Amino acid sequence: MIVPAKGVVGLHAEAVRENAEERKLVLVFFGSPNRDGTTAKLLNEFLKPLEGNTRIETVSAYERNIAPCIACNVCVGEERCSQPDFDDIDALIRAADVIVVATPVYNLSLPAPLKAIVDRTQRYFAARFSLGIRNPVEKHKLAAVLVTCGSKDCEGAQIIARQLKLAFSVINTSIAGMAVWPGTDFDEGRETFEKARNSARELALAIECEL
């Protein structure tokens, strides 16, 4: 048995930590209640090209159950939210290099738990327009929007993209692209999955080139 010289293991562990810190952070907001459904399948296709080269943190909207904005206006006077359940998400948003929103369409919009998270970005709107902080989030980010639609009509995906573009405008984030998988209620969208999968992978590769 080869015994490593004293300190080698510690140095290796330190190198692993440094390497993890150097990797770009991909923050995923997962909006489906189903961990193994079509939205998860599309998300996995997007993440495959990024595995090993990035650090991925996932916020599952249904598991976190973030409280909705209560319009208390604390953020109008101070750069904070009165509800602390969003604080760790705020830290992740500030640190992220890429933000991914993976969601199904519910009634032409986002599912309620994910909509609550998006609505809590009001703190950044207040910081920008009430407190006069030009960039409430300093680090620029790229975003990917991944949407699954039970309907073959993609109108809901376009509405979601408009909502997210507005929210992203105050967290220094630009949408790099969107991959949509329509018709999932029809035989699980098998006819449209390949196109959606290719779009998701191409989007991931394009973003990786920008990092």
Side-chain angles (χ1 to χ4, degrees):
M1 180 177 69
I2 300 175
V3 180
K6 183 179 180 180
V8 170
V9 173
L11 288 172
H12 175 69
E14 183 65 27
V16 169
R17 283 194 294 272
E18 289 178 358
N19 182 55
E21 291 174 358
E22 289 175 358
R23 287 183 294 169
K24 301 296 185 178
L25 173 59
V26 177
L27 174 58
V28 177
F29 288 103
F30 184 67
S32 172
N34 190 342
R35 292 184 181 184
D36 301 311
T38 53
T39 301
K41 190 174 181 180
L42 184 60
L43 173 61
N44 288 337
E45 293 298 330
F46 173 86
L47 292 177
K48 280 179 183 178
L50 301 176
E51 290 174 355
N53 299 322
T54 60
R55 180 166 62 95
I56 299 169
E57 295 281 351
T58 301
V59 174
S60 176
Y62 277 84
E63 291 179 10
R64 287 299 306 271
N65 196 27
I66 295 295
C69 175
I70 57 174
C72 64
N73 285 334
V74 165
C75 59
V76 172
E78 303 177 52
E79 196 180 1
R80 69 180 183 89
C81 181
S82 66
Q83 303 183 89
D85 62 345
F86 194 83
D87 288 350
D88 63 320
I89 295 176
D90 169 62
L92 287 171
I93 288 173
R94 294 179 187 279
D97 298 282
V98 178
I99 293 178
V100 181
V101 177
T103 183
V105 174
Y106 279 19
N107 290 306
L108 296 179
S109 187
L110 299 162
L114 183 55
K115 182 62 163 56
I117 291 175
V118 173
D119 287 348
R120 291 288 292 277
T121 61
Q122 176 63 25
R123 64 188 294 169
Y124 308 111
F125 279 95
R128 173 67 183 91
F129 297 107
S130 296
L131 301 178
I133 301 172
R134 185 167 182 79
N135 284 316
V137 175
E138 293 185 3
K139 182 189 284 189
H140 180 256
K141 310 156 199 318
L142 294 174
V145 180
L146 311 175
V147 182
T148 56
C149 315
S151 169
K152 295 179 181 180
D153 187 331
C154 297
E155 182 182 2
Q158 298 302 323
I159 292 173
I160 286 172
R162 289 176 61 191
Q163 293 179 38
L164 293 176
K165 183 178 180 181
L166 183 62
F168 288 154
S169 71
V170 289
I171 58 173
N172 204 3
T173 300
S174 305
I175 296 179
M178 179 168 64
V180 181
W181 182 5
T184 58
D185 284 352
F186 299 87
D187 198 24
E188 295 189 348
R190 292 175 184 173
E191 294 182 1
T192 54
F193 172 63
E194 186 172 352
K195 182 177 180 180
R197 176 185 61 189
N198 292 339
S199 294
R201 288 184 176 181
E202 289 171 5
L203 178 55
L205 291 171
I207 288 176
E208 185 179 35
C209 289
E210 295 293 327
L211 296 179

